[in-house]
Amino acid sequence: MGQDDVCAPGTARTALSTELTSAVNRLQRRLRAQRGDVEIGEGQIAVLMTLKHHGAMSPGALADHERVSAPAMTRAVNALAELGLVAKLEHPTDRRQVLVELSERGAAEVGTVRRRRDQWLAGQLRSLTTDERATLAAATELMTRIANG
Amino acid sequence: MGQDDVCAPGTARTALSTELTSAVNRLQRRLRAQRGDVEIGEGQIAVLMTLKHHGAMSPGALADHERVSAPAMTRAVNALAELGLVAKLEHPTDRRQVLVELSERGAAEVGTVRRRRDQWLAGQLRSLTTDERATLAAATELMTRIANG
DNA sequence: TATTGTTATACTCTATAACTATA
DNA sequence: TATAGTTATAGAGTATAACAATA
């Protein structure tokens, strides 16, 4: 039982905000449960991808970018440094700051780690129509805008 | 800094699965942070709404419906019972089972609690175009399908 | 004084495994 | 034996507050 029993969204007289919240919560829970033995957490993967796109950044800048607290970012960066995927460097002029940069191994492995994390969802998306994927792509942009707005 | 600095999704040569995962994670984090002093958690609100739609159910059926583990549902139901929003009843024929039903107060307050939780997101959605909201509504359905599939 | 990063601490949510009661 | 629910325990992820070093 259960999955056949779920209310189709839009059926009830429920607001979009409620349904969207519910969908986001459920999908995130499913993604976390489905994620196999990826050895590092979501937030840490996000840090690797950000560093790949933007180059070396300070922990504070990373925390702003990912919209998490500074302590949460300290922990994520330390975990990645212990795995040898990033390195913490002294800032050239401001000795309070730290620069976090991808290590060679981090740069080599970020793609692999990301693909392994996304494997299940990518499979689910393959069974959608082209139009449905386009809808999700557009919604992805909107959700990111809302999350960062 | 930070929010102006985020990569526009679809800009990079990144797979939809990656962008969707990232968007869902970020939006959920933002929704949690933005949620004011709603006195009960996400999962508990979901239980109240399910009971409102479906009537009394057993904890096991609720766990299946919400796709969480049985212990997680036990905790959610107990928390709601302590607040007087649900009642736990004996099953008429099977004494192993429990029936969870909305209390009068629970039925009266579920709408209020939900609206307070959704207040921020509803405001964000109001600033979108009609087309954009339609996109999100369609995507909500797709995400729910994927989460439950 | 203000800023950057870290440590200390605590809370929420979730899961698996072991247990109890009933069927 | 099998099922429904609970308890025990542990882990991930996050936050706020207090602190240290530097500007």
Side-chain angles (χ1 to χ4, degrees):
Chain A
M1 102 173 62
Q3 80 214 49
D4 305 323
D5 193 28
V6 172
C7 286
T11 296
R13 178 103 347 92
T14 319
L16 173 57
S17 59
T18 301
E19 290 175 11
L20 181 53
T21 298
S22 165
V24 165
N25 284 328
R26 281 192 185 180
L27 183 52
Q28 211 227 15
R29 200 156 51 219
R30 183 66 187 265
L31 287 172
R32 177 153 28 83
Q34 206 67 35
R35 190 159 65 100
D37 294 341
V38 182
E39 55 287 331
I40 65 180
E42 284 299 333
Q44 294 164 38
I45 294 178
V47 169
L48 291 182
M49 295 200 300
T50 302
L51 292 176
K52 178 142 190 175
H53 284 300
H54 290 78
M57 298 172 72
S58 73
L62 282 165
D64 279 351
H65 187 266
E66 303 301 326
R67 293 188 158 266
V68 297
S69 65
M73 189 50 69
T74 292
R75 291 192 55 171
V77 166
N78 285 343
L80 290 171
E82 265 182 40
L83 291 169
L85 299 175
V86 304
K88 294 168 80 168
L89 310 175
E90 285 179 8
H91 186 102
T93 63
D94 184 342
R95 284 171 51 195
R96 292 172 305 181
Q97 286 194 51
V98 172
L99 272 180
V100 185
E101 74 167 11
L102 271 183
S103 68
E104 233 174 88
R105 231 192 95 208
E109 292 190 9
V110 52
T112 311
V113 169
R114 182 183 59 65
R115 261 189 302 280
R116 201 172 334 153
R117 179 196 66 171
D118 294 339
Q119 198 169 25
W120 178 80
L121 180 56
Q124 300 298 118
L125 295 176
R126 247 174 259 129
S127 71
L128 299 181
T129 68
T130 305
D131 277 358
E132 287 171 336
R133 278 193 296 271
T135 296
L136 279 179
T140 294
E141 193 165 353
L142 290 169
M143 289 192 290
T144 300
R145 211 162 85 201
I146 291 169
N148 294 326
Chain B
M1 100 171 67
Q3 79 216 49
D4 304 323
D5 192 29
V6 173
C7 286
T11 295
R13 178 102 347 94
T14 318
L16 174 56
S17 59
T18 301
E19 288 173 15
L20 180 54
T21 298
S22 165
V24 164
N25 283 328
R26 280 193 189 178
L27 183 53
Q28 211 226 15
R29 202 153 49 218
R30 182 67 186 265
L31 287 171
R32 177 156 25 87
Q34 206 67 35
R35 191 159 64 100
D37 292 342
V38 182
E39 55 286 332
I40 65 180
E42 285 298 334
Q44 294 164 38
I45 294 177
V47 168
L48 292 181
M49 296 200 298
T50 301
L51 291 176
K52 178 143 192 176
H53 285 300
H54 290 78
M57 297 171 73
S58 71
L62 282 166
D64 279 351
H65 188 266
E66 303 302 325
R67 294 190 157 266
V68 297
S69 65
M73 189 50 69
T74 292
R75 293 195 54 174
V77 167
N78 286 343
L80 290 170
E82 265 181 41
L83 292 168
L85 299 174
V86 304
K88 292 166 83 168
L89 309 176
E90 285 179 7
H91 186 101
T93 63
D94 184 341
R95 286 170 51 195
R96 292 171 305 180
Q97 286 193 50
V98 173
L99 272 180
V100 185
E101 74 169 10
L102 270 183
S103 70
E104 234 175 85
R105 231 192 94 208
E109 292 190 9
V110 51
T112 312
V113 169
R114 183 182 60 66
R115 260 188 302 281
R116 202 173 332 153
R117 179 196 67 170
D118 294 338
Q119 199 169 24
W120 177 82
L121 180 56
Q124 300 298 118
L125 295 176
R126 247 174 259 127
S127 72
L128 299 180
T129 67
T130 305
D131 277 359
E132 287 171 334
R133 278 193 294 272
T135 296
L136 279 179
T140 294
E141 192 164 353
L142 291 169
M143 289 190 289
T144 300
R145 213 163 83 201
I146 291 170
N148 294 326

